[in-house]
Amino acid sequence: MVFADKGAFGADGDGDKLKKNRFLSTTKEVEDLNQYWYSNRTISAMARDVEDVCAAPETRAAFLSTPSVYFSLSKGVRARSWCFDLDTQWQKEPGYVCYDFNKPIDFEGAEELKGTFDMVIIDPPFITREVWEKYTETTRWLLKPGGHVMASTIQENAPFMKELLGVDPQVFMPSIPTLVYQYYLYASYESKHLKDKNPEIPDYD
């Protein structure tokens, strides 16, 4: 991994609609955990979608290996969301759950959290179907009936992403400055903020 400085992620915002992102300004990717942060603009689009879906005070979201989006939420939505991650640097965060995808439903509070989330957001450290099957097991465990899913992976995974999670690729593609290939965002619902092109991404086939 080649770590990019905060400027590559647009962490300071654009002085207009895109605000400074504190997470990107202060948190480096951990190579041993295969962490890759989205750009500020990508995080903003994803977070706005989450905040639309989870606008009601009784709703909540689970973030599987997506800390950059979790920590970029508005204060109110973050307070009723959960961050599932193997990286223990966030263990003092009230919504943190130590999560190892190799043990999909073996985590603290699993029984209490079953079927209690309106939305799950997923960005595994690997792109293989085997890994996605494990994240799918966790997602199905956590989601309420009819719950929403947002995920990111490569375009070639679209067929099994539809099969496993019922998600479709979106027009807005994520910028991940330290990743050498292009990801796509996927959603199981009609997205308001992922329907337009990301200006950070050149025309891409």
Side-chain angles (χ1 to χ4, degrees), residues 53 117-119 143-149 188-189:
V53 172
F117 290 93
D118 299 272
M119 187 175 191
L143 268 185
K144 293 179 180 178
H148 299 315
V149 176
S188 65
Y189 57 94

Side-chain angles (χ1 to χ4, degrees), residues 28-176:
K28 289 190 174 184
E29 298 154 317
V30 178
E31 184 172 3
D32 289 347
L33 297 177
N34 216 29
Q35 291 176 339
Y36 297 92
W37 303 151
Y38 302 111
S39 70
N40 189 1
R41 188 176 302 277
T42 297
I43 290 172
S44 177
M46 295 173 71
R48 281 180 289 162
D49 245 29
V50 175
E51 290 172 2
D52 279 356
V53 172
C54 296
E58 70 276 9
T59 57
R60 59 181 185 173
F63 292 79
L64 306 186
S65 307
T66 48
S68 64
V69 185
Y70 169 83
F71 283 102
S72 302
L73 295 171
S74 63
K75 185 177 181 180
V77 177
R78 177 174 159 186
R80 45 192 166 81
S81 296
W82 295 67
C83 179
F84 291 74
D85 208 281
L86 189 61
D87 192 339
T88 57
Q89 69 172 300
W90 301 302
Q91 60 186 338
K92 293 183 179 180
E93 173 72 15
Y96 174 79
V97 176
C98 187
Y99 171 70
D100 181 348
F101 70 82
N102 289 303
K103 303 173 182 178
I105 57 174
D106 183 11
F107 49 83
E108 186 175 355
E111 287 295 333
E112 292 80 4
L113 295 174
K114 184 178 182 180
T116 64
F117 290 93
D118 299 272
M119 187 175 191
V120 176
I121 301 88
I122 320 161
D123 182 31
F126 305 103
I127 61 175
T128 64
R129 180 182 176 113
E130 179 184 11
V131 168
W132 271 106
E133 287 174 345
K134 294 175 181 179
Y135 274 86
T136 296
E137 184 177 356
T138 307
T139 299
R140 290 175 177 170
W141 181 269
L142 294 173
L143 268 185
K144 293 179 180 178
H148 299 315
V149 176
M150 181 195 297
S152 65
T153 188
I154 59 174
Q155 182 182 27
E156 290 79 3
N157 286 352
F160 76 65
M161 292 294 289
K162 182 69 172 180
E163 174 192 344
L164 295 175
L165 291 164
V167 294
D168 295 301
Q170 304 297 297
V171 173
F172 186 101
M173 293 191 292
S175 171
I176 307 174

Side-chain angles (χ1 to χ4, degrees), residues 42 172-176 182-183 197-204:
T42 297
F172 186 101
M173 293 191 292
S175 171
I176 307 174
Q182 183 60 52
Y183 264 33
K197 288 185 177 181
N198 181 356
E200 297 173 311
I201 306 298
D203 289 340
Y204 187 89

Side-chain angles (χ1 to χ4, degrees), residues 3-14 18-29 37-41 43 67-69 71-72 89-90 177:
F3 179 75
D5 65 29
K6 64 178 183 179
F9 296 91
D12 290 332
D14 60 7
L18 191 63
K19 298 179 180 179
K20 182 175 181 178
N21 187 292
R22 186 175 182 275
F23 179 90
L24 292 176
S25 298
T26 60
T27 314
K28 289 190 174 184
E29 298 154 317
W37 303 151
Y38 302 111
S39 70
N40 189 1
R41 188 176 302 277
I43 290 172
S68 64
V69 185
F71 283 102
S72 302
Q89 69 172 300
W90 301 302

